[in-house]
Amino acid sequence: MAETITQLLTRDHSHCDDLFATAEALGDAGAAPAAWRAFSAAMERHLGAEEGLLFPALDAAVGGSLPPVQVMKLEHAQLRALLSDLTDAAEGGSWDEVSGLAQTLLVLMEQHNLKEQSVLYPMADRLLGARAGALVAELTPLTGTPRA
Amino acid sequence: MTPGPGLSLEQAPHLSVPLRFYLGAPLFAAAAAVLVAVEGPYALSTRWTPATLAAAHLFALGFLAQVMAGSLLQLLPVVAGAPVPGSRGVALVVHAGLSAGSVLLPTLFLTGAPWALQGAYGALGVAFVTLVGACALGLARARAALPTVGGIALALASLAVAATLGLLLAPLYAGGSSLALGVRHLHPVWALAGWVGLLVVAVAFQVVPMFHLTPPYPLALQRLLAPALFLALAVASVAEGAVQTAAYALVSAGFALFAGVTARLQALRRRRLGDASLGLWRVALGALVLTSALAALKPWLPDAWRPRAEVFAVVVYLVGFAWSVVAAMLTKIVPFLCWFHLQARFLGRGKLPHLGVFLAERDARWLLRAHGAVCAALPLGMLLPALHPVGFGLFAAEALYLAGLVARAGWRYREASRRLEALPEPSPATHAVQ
């Protein structure tokens, strides 16, 4: 059976979580800044794919600006601000700073993901109906997770 | 600010709403601990002593119900996707009612004064009706079909059963009679296993995977555990004999299963770094298994042991399980809420402090160490009466330390707000959100 939007993007959340856990576990080791950059790049791909394809498709489906989409966009801006602070801190900041920012980002990211996975993605699968399959095909190359 | 991006902020109530509850709650826990310490080992000989009843209600209403109310009023508007009407007013009423009731009901147990009974009725009645009404409204409109939402509803239904039984039983302590005398054993069952237990189970389904990146709970467990526990409690409440014993055994087994699955998921977590909140969860799960085992063994205990075993099980459940879960959550949620409100007001205006600035992990670790000491000292105090005040005194100190951590987080929020307010407004270009 073809993958749904919910399944694809939930899997991509999980991929980003893995990269986060890998980077955080490195602590202040020399490889940490590169691991945080890899995490940040995966996040940017995910956020960009949603903003470039999913959100416009949802807005088009309802013929206006969907409130949950507006909230998700705001949270994307918050996530980006933290990602930028975090990758900067990883380059030269203290471990306290990196770990504090990582915790902040984690909590924000997880509650954001929860809202998307339990409200927005199922709404997208429902609203887009037959068009969802085509959108999944467009989204797939933009996510970091080839289907298992 | 345009209406769209403002939505998320409007959905979350003002920071003072949850913080007011989180700050006051540990003070009631400290008061409960001091009361038991001062009363001496007699307070733990049976659950019917006035000081035991007073301390249990100081803890259950003053600490647990306050934290729950603060969290639900914070969570529901966000989960429901629409603000609870007048959430600030609702919070004020619930907070005032619960605080007054948490003083008046213990006063009733200690003094038997009829005015304390009437006062507790009024205060707790207003608080619970307002809270359950506001939550029912929020839950009914909840957009997310999460098992957590159903579990919270069952926990609130259990609270309603416990509160109704409590309402019927309370006149006994002011020299009156009660229609519910024959079922008075059900009040703590519905309060502890129903309300507190189901609430923790329902909330854990969301927060355990979230904070430590564990795999999700099995979907069947998420869907079935809370309804199954609720049903088993209902059967145990009305059945007799072997059916009742079996139903209670199912409740014990259900909670032990929950503890086992949670520990397993935490062992499989992707986030390798441990933290104080993970340690507190582990203490909680150990205490839950111990309580479940004690409850399951109860029918086989010699009659002479039962009163002490009951009180011991309740102490393990409240201090070992419920307190640990609440502390684990507060060390995560309080700094996050401070940060969340700060960034909602000042995103793009200057460098925002991170979570560790509001509540440092090393301070949370001190809380965990203190709690480990308390959990070792309390059972020792039941064996060696000389140690009794040490354990409960230590617990009171731990509770005050938690209140101090919450107060300091709030203080640092104010400091950061002042610093950021002094900075120039960002230009619209940097603040705009698509």
Side-chain angles (χ1 to χ4, degrees), chain B residues 304-372:
Chain B
W305 288 15
R306 268 191 210 168
R308 282 184 153 275
E310 272 178 4
V311 177
F312 179 65
V314 170
V315 171
V316 172
Y317 190 79
L318 290 180
V319 181
F321 170 63
W323 168 274
S324 307
V325 170
V326 169
M329 310 271 278
L330 288 187
T331 57
K332 292 280 186 193
I333 288 167
V334 167
F336 179 71
L337 288 178
C338 292
W339 175 84
F340 179 80
H341 282 272
L342 211 57
Q343 64 81 31
R345 289 171 60 195
F346 300 109
L347 187 66
R349 191 136 155 198
K351 203 166 159 51
L352 295 171
H354 56 71
L355 298 197
V357 172
F358 300 107
L359 201 161
E361 174 61 18
R362 70 180 160 274
D363 294 334
R365 282 189 191 270
W366 277 111
L367 190 70
L368 172 62
R369 286 187 200 108
H371 197 55

Coordinates of all heavy atoms in Angstrom, one line a residue, chain B residues 304-372:
Chain B
A304 N -3.3 -8.4 61.7 CA -2.6 -7.4 62.6 C -1.6 -6.5 61.8 O -1.3 -5.4 62.2 CB -1.8 -8.2 63.6
W305 N -1.2 -7.0 60.6 CA -0.2 -6.2 59.8 C -0.9 -5.2 58.9 O -0.3 -4.2 58.4 CB 0.6 -7.1 58.9 CG 1.6 -7.9 59.6 CD1 1.7 -8.2 61.0 CD2 2.7 -8.7 59.0 NE1 2.7 -9.0 61.3 CE2 3.4 -9.3 60.1 CE3 3.1 -8.9 57.7 CZ2 4.5 -10.1 59.9 CZ3 4.2 -9.6 57.5 CH2 4.9 -10.3 58.5
R306 N -2.2 -5.4 58.7 CA -2.9 -4.7 57.6 C -2.9 -3.2 57.7 O -2.6 -2.5 56.8 CB -4.3 -5.2 57.4 CG -4.3 -6.3 56.4 CD -5.7 -6.7 55.9 NE -5.7 -8.1 55.6 CZ -6.7 -8.8 55.4 NH1 -7.9 -8.3 55.5 NH2 -6.6 -10.0 55.0
P307 N -3.3 -2.6 58.9 CA -3.3 -1.2 59.0 C -2.0 -0.5 58.6 O -2.0 0.4 57.9 CB -3.7 -0.9 60.4 CG -4.3 -2.2 60.9 CD -3.7 -3.3 60.1
R308 N -0.9 -1.1 59.2 CA 0.4 -0.5 58.9 C 0.8 -0.7 57.4 O 1.4 0.2 56.8 CB 1.5 -1.1 59.7 CG 1.5 -0.6 61.1 CD 2.6 -1.1 62.0 NE 3.0 -0.2 63.0 CZ 3.9 0.8 62.8 NH1 4.4 1.0 61.6 NH2 4.1 1.6 63.8
A309 N 0.5 -1.9 56.9 CA 0.8 -2.2 55.5 C 0.1 -1.2 54.6 O 0.7 -0.7 53.6 CB 0.5 -3.6 55.2
E310 N -1.2 -0.9 54.9 CA -2.0 0.0 54.1 C -1.3 1.4 54.1 O -1.1 2.0 53.0 CB -3.4 0.2 54.7 CG -4.4 -0.9 54.2 CD -5.7 -0.7 54.8 OE1 -5.9 0.3 55.6 OE2 -6.6 -1.5 54.6
V311 N -0.9 1.9 55.2 CA -0.3 3.2 55.3 C 1.0 3.2 54.6 O 1.3 4.1 53.8 CB -0.2 3.7 56.8 CG1 0.5 5.0 56.8 CG2 -1.5 3.8 57.4
F312 N 1.8 2.1 54.8 CA 3.1 2.0 54.1 C 2.9 2.1 52.6 O 3.6 2.8 51.9 CB 3.8 0.7 54.5 CG 5.1 0.6 53.8 CD1 6.2 1.5 54.1 CD2 5.3 -0.5 52.9 CE1 7.4 1.3 53.5 CE2 6.6 -0.6 52.3 CZ 7.6 0.3 52.6
A313 N 1.9 1.3 52.1 CA 1.6 1.3 50.6 C 1.2 2.7 50.1 O 1.7 3.2 49.1 CB 0.5 0.3 50.3
V314 N 0.4 3.4 50.9 CA 0.0 4.8 50.5 C 1.2 5.7 50.5 O 1.4 6.6 49.6 CB -1.2 5.3 51.4 CG1 -1.4 6.8 51.1 CG2 -2.4 4.5 51.1
V315 N 2.1 5.6 51.5 CA 3.3 6.5 51.5 C 4.2 6.2 50.3 O 4.7 7.1 49.7 CB 4.1 6.3 52.9 CG1 5.4 7.0 52.8 CG2 3.3 6.8 54.1
V316 N 4.4 4.9 50.0 CA 5.2 4.5 48.9 C 4.6 5.1 47.6 O 5.3 5.6 46.7 CB 5.4 3.0 48.8 CG1 6.1 2.6 47.5 CG2 6.1 2.5 49.9
Y317 N 3.2 5.0 47.5 CA 2.5 5.4 46.3 C 2.6 7.0 46.2 O 2.9 7.5 45.1 CB 1.1 5.0 46.4 CG 0.3 5.2 45.1 CD1 0.4 4.3 44.0 CD2 -0.6 6.3 45.0 CE1 -0.3 4.5 42.9 CE2 -1.3 6.4 43.8 CZ -1.2 5.5 42.8 OH -1.9 5.7 41.6
L318 N 2.4 7.7 47.3 CA 2.3 9.1 47.2 C 3.7 9.7 47.1 O 4.0 10.6 46.2 CB 1.6 9.7 48.4 CG 0.1 9.5 48.4 CD1 -0.5 10.1 49.7 CD2 -0.6 10.0 47.2
V319 N 4.6 9.3 47.9 CA 5.9 9.9 48.0 C 6.9 9.3 46.9 O 7.6 10.0 46.2 CB 6.6 9.8 49.4 CG1 8.0 10.5 49.4 CG2 5.7 10.4 50.4
G320 N 6.8 8.0 46.8 CA 7.7 7.3 45.9 C 7.2 7.4 44.4 O 8.0 7.7 43.6
F321 N 5.9 7.2 44.2 CA 5.4 7.2 42.8 C 5.0 8.6 42.4 O 5.6 9.3 41.5 CB 4.3 6.2 42.7 CG 3.5 6.3 41.4 CD1 4.2 6.0 40.2 CD2 2.2 6.6 41.4 CE1 3.5 6.1 39.0 CE2 1.5 6.7 40.2 CZ 2.1 6.4 39.0
A322 N 3.9 9.1 43.1 CA 3.3 10.4 42.6 C 4.2 11.6 42.6 O 4.4 12.3 41.7 CB 2.0 10.6 43.3
W323 N 4.9 11.7 43.8 CA 5.8 12.9 43.9 C 6.9 12.8 42.8 O 7.2 13.8 42.2 CB 6.4 12.9 45.3 CG 7.6 13.9 45.4 CD1 8.9 13.6 45.0 CD2 7.6 15.2 45.8 NE1 9.7 14.7 45.2 CE2 8.9 15.7 45.6 CE3 6.5 16.1 46.2 CZ2 9.2 17.1 45.9 CZ3 6.9 17.4 46.5 CH2 8.2 17.9 46.3
S324 N 7.5 11.6 42.6 CA 8.6 11.5 41.7 C 8.1 11.9 40.3 O 8.9 12.5 39.5 CB 9.1 10.1 41.7 OG 9.4 9.7 43.0
V325 N 6.9 11.4 39.9 CA 6.5 11.7 38.5 C 6.3 13.2 38.4 O 6.7 13.8 37.4 CB 5.1 11.0 38.2 CG1 4.5 11.5 36.9 CG2 5.4 9.5 38.1
V326 N 5.6 13.8 39.4 CA 5.4 15.3 39.4 C 6.7 16.0 39.3 O 6.9 16.9 38.5 CB 4.5 15.7 40.6 CG1 4.5 17.2 40.7 CG2 3.1 15.2 40.5
A327 N 7.7 15.6 40.1 CA 9.0 16.3 40.1 C 9.7 16.2 38.8 O 10.2 17.1 38.2 CB 9.9 15.8 41.3
A328 N 9.6 14.9 38.2 CA 10.2 14.7 36.9 C 9.6 15.6 35.9 O 10.3 16.1 35.0 CB 10.0 13.2 36.5
M329 N 8.3 15.8 35.9 CA 7.6 16.6 34.9 C 7.9 18.1 35.2 O 8.2 18.9 34.2 CB 6.1 16.4 35.0 CG 5.7 15.0 35.0 SD 5.4 14.5 33.4 CE 3.8 15.1 33.2
L330 N 7.9 18.5 36.4 CA 8.1 20.0 36.7 C 9.5 20.4 36.3 O 9.6 21.5 35.8 CB 7.8 20.3 38.2 CG 6.3 20.2 38.6 CD1 6.2 20.7 40.0 CD2 5.4 21.0 37.7
T331 N 10.5 19.6 36.5 CA 11.8 20.0 36.2 C 12.0 20.2 34.7 O 12.9 20.9 34.2 CB 12.9 19.0 36.7 OG1 12.6 17.7 36.1 CG2 13.0 18.9 38.2
K332 N 11.1 19.6 33.9 CA 11.1 19.8 32.4 C 10.1 20.9 32.0 O 10.4 21.7 31.2 CB 10.6 18.5 31.7 CG 11.5 17.3 31.8 CD 12.7 17.5 30.8 CE 13.6 16.3 30.8 NZ 14.8 16.6 30.1
I333 N 8.9 20.9 32.6 CA 7.9 21.8 32.1 C 8.1 23.2 32.6 O 7.9 24.2 31.8 CB 6.5 21.2 32.6 CG1 6.2 20.0 31.8 CG2 5.4 22.2 32.3 CD1 5.1 19.2 32.3
V334 N 8.5 23.4 33.8 CA 8.6 24.8 34.3 C 9.6 25.6 33.5 O 9.3 26.7 33.0 CB 9.0 24.8 35.8 CG1 9.4 26.2 36.2 CG2 7.7 24.4 36.6
P335 N 10.9 25.1 33.2 CA 11.8 25.9 32.4 C 11.3 26.0 31.0 O 11.4 27.1 30.3 CB 13.1 25.1 32.4 CG 12.8 23.8 33.0 CD 11.5 23.9 33.8
F336 N 10.6 25.0 30.4 CA 10.1 25.1 29.1 C 9.0 26.2 29.0 O 9.0 27.0 28.0 CB 9.5 23.8 28.5 CG 9.0 23.9 27.1 CD1 9.9 24.1 26.1 CD2 7.6 23.9 26.9 CE1 9.4 24.3 24.8 CE2 7.2 24.1 25.6 CZ 8.0 24.3 24.5
L337 N 8.1 26.3 29.9 CA 7.1 27.3 29.9 C 7.7 28.7 30.0 O 7.2 29.6 29.3 CB 6.0 27.1 31.0 CG 5.1 25.9 30.8 CD1 4.2 25.8 32.0 CD2 4.3 26.0 29.5
C338 N 8.7 28.9 30.8 CA 9.3 30.2 30.9 C 9.9 30.6 29.6 O 9.7 31.7 29.1 CB 10.5 30.1 32.0 SG 9.9 29.9 33.7
W339 N 10.6 29.6 29.0 CA 11.3 29.9 27.7 C 10.2 30.2 26.6 O 10.3 31.1 25.9 CB 12.1 28.7 27.3 CG 12.7 28.9 25.9 CD1 13.8 29.6 25.6 CD2 12.1 28.4 24.7 NE1 14.0 29.6 24.2 CE2 13.0 28.9 23.6 CE3 11.0 27.7 24.4 CZ2 12.7 28.6 22.3 CZ3 10.7 27.5 23.0 CH2 11.6 27.9 22.0
F340 N 9.1 29.3 26.6 CA 8.1 29.4 25.6 C 7.4 30.8 25.6 O 7.3 31.5 24.6 CB 7.1 28.3 25.9 CG 5.9 28.4 24.9 CD1 6.1 27.8 23.6 CD2 4.7 29.0 25.2 CE1 5.0 27.9 22.7 CE2 3.7 29.0 24.3 CZ 3.8 28.4 23.1
H341 N 7.1 31.3 26.8 CA 6.5 32.6 26.9 C 7.4 33.7 26.6 O 7.0 34.7 26.0 CB 5.9 32.8 28.3 CG 4.6 32.1 28.5 ND1 3.4 32.6 28.2 CD2 4.4 30.8 29.0 CE1 2.5 31.7 28.5 NE2 3.0 30.6 28.9
L342 N 8.7 33.5 26.9 CA 9.7 34.6 26.6 C 9.9 34.7 25.1 O 9.9 35.8 24.6 CB 11.0 34.2 27.3 CG 11.9 35.3 27.7 CD1 11.2 36.2 28.7 CD2 13.2 34.8 28.4
Q343 N 10.0 33.5 24.4 CA 10.2 33.6 23.0 C 8.9 34.1 22.3 O 9.0 34.8 21.3 CB 10.8 32.3 22.4 CG 9.9 31.1 22.5 CD 8.9 31.1 21.4 OE1 9.1 31.6 20.3 NE2 7.7 30.5 21.7
A344 N 7.8 33.8 22.8 CA 6.5 34.3 22.2 C 6.5 35.8 22.2 O 6.0 36.4 21.3 CB 5.3 33.7 22.9
R345 N 7.1 36.4 23.3 CA 7.1 37.8 23.4 C 8.2 38.5 22.7 O 8.1 39.6 22.2 CB 7.1 38.2 24.9 CG 5.8 37.9 25.6 CD 5.9 38.2 27.1 NE 6.3 39.5 27.4 CZ 6.7 39.9 28.6 NH1 6.9 39.0 29.6 NH2 7.0 41.2 28.9
F346 N 9.4 37.8 22.7 CA 10.6 38.5 22.3 C 11.3 37.8 21.1 O 12.5 38.1 20.9 CB 11.5 38.7 23.5 CG 10.9 39.5 24.6 CD1 10.6 38.8 25.8 CD2 10.7 40.8 24.5 CE1 10.0 39.6 26.8 CE2 10.2 41.5 25.5 CZ 9.8 40.9 26.7
L347 N 10.8 36.9 20.4 CA 11.5 36.2 19.3 C 12.0 37.3 18.4 O 11.3 38.1 17.9 CB 10.6 35.2 18.6 CG 11.3 34.3 17.6 CD1 12.3 33.4 18.2 CD2 10.4 33.5 16.8
G348 N 13.3 37.2 18.1 CA 13.9 38.1 17.1 C 14.4 39.4 17.7 O 15.0 40.2 17.0
R349 N 14.2 39.5 19.0 CA 14.5 40.8 19.6 C 15.9 40.8 20.3 O 16.5 41.8 20.7 CB 13.5 41.2 20.7 CG 13.5 42.5 21.2 CD 12.2 43.1 21.3 NE 12.1 44.2 22.2 CZ 10.9 44.6 22.7 NH1 9.8 44.1 22.4 NH2 10.9 45.6 23.6
G350 N 16.4 39.6 20.6 CA 17.7 39.5 21.3 C 17.9 38.1 21.6 O 17.1 37.2 21.3
K351 N 19.1 37.8 22.2 CA 19.4 36.4 22.5 C 18.5 35.9 23.7 O 18.5 36.6 24.8 CB 20.9 36.3 22.9 CG 21.4 34.9 22.7 CD 23.0 35.0 22.7 CE 23.6 33.6 23.1 NZ 23.1 32.5 22.2
L352 N 17.8 34.8 23.5 CA 16.9 34.3 24.5 C 17.7 33.4 25.4 O 18.5 32.6 24.9 CB 15.7 33.6 23.9 CG 14.8 34.4 23.1 CD1 13.8 33.5 22.4 CD2 14.0 35.4 24.0
P353 N 17.4 33.3 26.7 CA 18.1 32.3 27.5 C 17.5 30.9 27.2 O 16.4 30.8 26.8 CB 17.7 32.7 29.0 CG 16.7 33.8 28.9 CD 16.5 34.2 27.4
H354 N 18.3 29.9 27.4 CA 17.9 28.5 27.1 C 17.3 27.9 28.4 O 17.4 28.6 29.5 CB 19.0 27.7 26.5 CG 20.2 27.6 27.3 ND1 20.3 27.0 28.5 CD2 21.4 28.2 27.1 CE1 21.5 27.1 29.0 NE2 22.2 27.8 28.2
L355 N 16.8 26.7 28.3 CA 16.1 26.1 29.5 C 17.0 26.0 30.7 O 16.5 26.2 31.8 CB 15.6 24.6 29.1 CG 14.6 24.4 28.0 CD1 14.0 23.0 28.1 CD2 13.6 25.5 28.0
G356 N 18.3 25.7 30.5 CA 19.2 25.6 31.6 C 19.3 26.8 32.5 O 19.7 26.8 33.6
V357 N 19.0 28.0 31.9 CA 19.1 29.2 32.6 C 18.0 29.3 33.7 O 18.2 29.8 34.8 CB 19.1 30.4 31.7 CG1 19.0 31.7 32.4 CG2 20.3 30.4 30.7
F358 N 16.8 28.8 33.3 CA 15.7 28.8 34.2 C 15.8 27.7 35.3 O 15.5 28.0 36.5 CB 14.4 28.7 33.5 CG 14.2 29.7 32.4 CD1 14.3 29.5 31.1 CD2 13.9 31.0 32.8 CE1 14.1 30.5 30.1 CE2 13.7 32.0 31.9 CZ 13.8 31.7 30.6
L359 N 16.2 26.6 34.9 CA 16.4 25.5 35.9 C 17.5 24.6 35.4 O 17.4 23.9 34.4 CB 15.1 24.7 36.0 CG 14.9 23.8 37.3 CD1 13.4 23.5 37.4 CD2 15.7 22.6 37.3
A360 N 18.7 24.7 36.1 CA 19.9 24.0 35.7 C 19.8 22.5 36.0 O 19.2 22.1 37.0 CB 21.1 24.6 36.4
E361 N 20.3 21.7 35.1 CA 20.3 20.3 35.3 C 21.0 19.9 36.6 O 20.5 19.0 37.3 CB 21.0 19.6 34.1 CG 21.1 18.1 34.2 CD 19.8 17.3 34.3 OE1 18.8 17.8 34.0 OE2 19.9 16.1 34.8
R362 N 22.0 20.6 37.0 CA 22.7 20.2 38.2 C 21.8 20.5 39.4 O 21.8 19.7 40.4 CB 24.1 20.9 38.4 CG 24.1 22.3 38.7 CD 25.5 22.9 38.8 NE 25.3 24.3 38.6 CZ 25.3 24.9 37.4 NH1 25.6 24.2 36.3 NH2 25.1 26.2 37.2
D363 N 20.9 21.4 39.4 CA 19.9 21.6 40.5 C 18.9 20.5 40.5 O 18.5 20.1 41.5 CB 19.3 23.0 40.4 CG 20.3 24.1 40.5 OD1 21.3 23.9 41.2 OD2 20.1 25.2 40.0
A364 N 18.5 20.1 39.3 CA 17.5 19.0 39.2 C 18.1 17.8 39.8 O 17.5 16.9 40.4 CB 17.1 18.8 37.7
R365 N 19.5 17.6 39.5 CA 20.1 16.4 40.1 C 20.2 16.4 41.6 O 20.1 15.4 42.3 CB 21.5 16.3 39.5 CG 21.5 15.7 38.1 CD 22.9 15.4 37.6 NE 22.8 15.1 36.2 CZ 22.6 13.9 35.7 NH1 22.5 12.9 36.5 NH2 22.5 13.7 34.4
W366 N 20.3 17.6 42.2 CA 20.2 17.7 43.7 C 18.8 17.3 44.2 O 18.7 16.6 45.2 CB 20.5 19.1 44.1 CG 22.0 19.4 44.2 CD1 22.8 20.2 43.5 CD2 22.9 18.7 45.2 NE1 24.1 20.1 43.8 CE2 24.2 19.2 44.9 CE3 22.7 17.8 46.2 CZ2 25.3 18.8 45.6 CZ3 23.8 17.4 46.9 CH2 25.1 17.8 46.6
L367 N 17.8 17.6 43.4 CA 16.4 17.2 43.7 C 16.3 15.7 43.7 O 15.8 15.1 44.6 CB 15.4 17.8 42.8 CG 14.0 17.7 43.1 CD1 13.6 18.6 44.3 CD2 13.1 18.0 42.0
L368 N 16.9 15.1 42.7 CA 16.9 13.6 42.6 C 17.7 13.0 43.7 O 17.2 12.0 44.4 CB 17.5 13.2 41.2 CG 17.8 11.7 41.0 CD1 16.5 10.9 41.1 CD2 18.5 11.4 39.7
R369 N 18.8 13.5 44.1 CA 19.6 13.0 45.2 C 18.8 13.1 46.5 O 18.7 12.1 47.3 CB 20.9 13.7 45.4 CG 21.9 13.4 44.3 CD 23.3 14.0 44.6 NE 24.0 14.1 43.4 CZ 24.3 15.2 42.7 NH1 23.9 16.4 43.2 NH2 25.0 15.1 41.6
A370 N 18.2 14.2 46.7 CA 17.4 14.4 47.9 C 16.3 13.4 48.0 O 16.0 12.9 49.0 CB 16.8 15.9 48.0
H371 N 15.7 13.2 46.8 CA 14.5 12.3 46.8 C 15.0 10.8 47.1 O 14.3 10.1 47.7 CB 13.8 12.4 45.5 CG 12.4 11.8 45.6 ND1 11.5 12.2 46.5 CD2 11.8 10.8 44.8 CE1 10.4 11.5 46.4 NE2 10.6 10.6 45.4
G372 N 16.1 10.5 46.5 CA 16.7 9.2 46.8 C 16.9 9.0 48.3 O 16.5 7.9 48.9

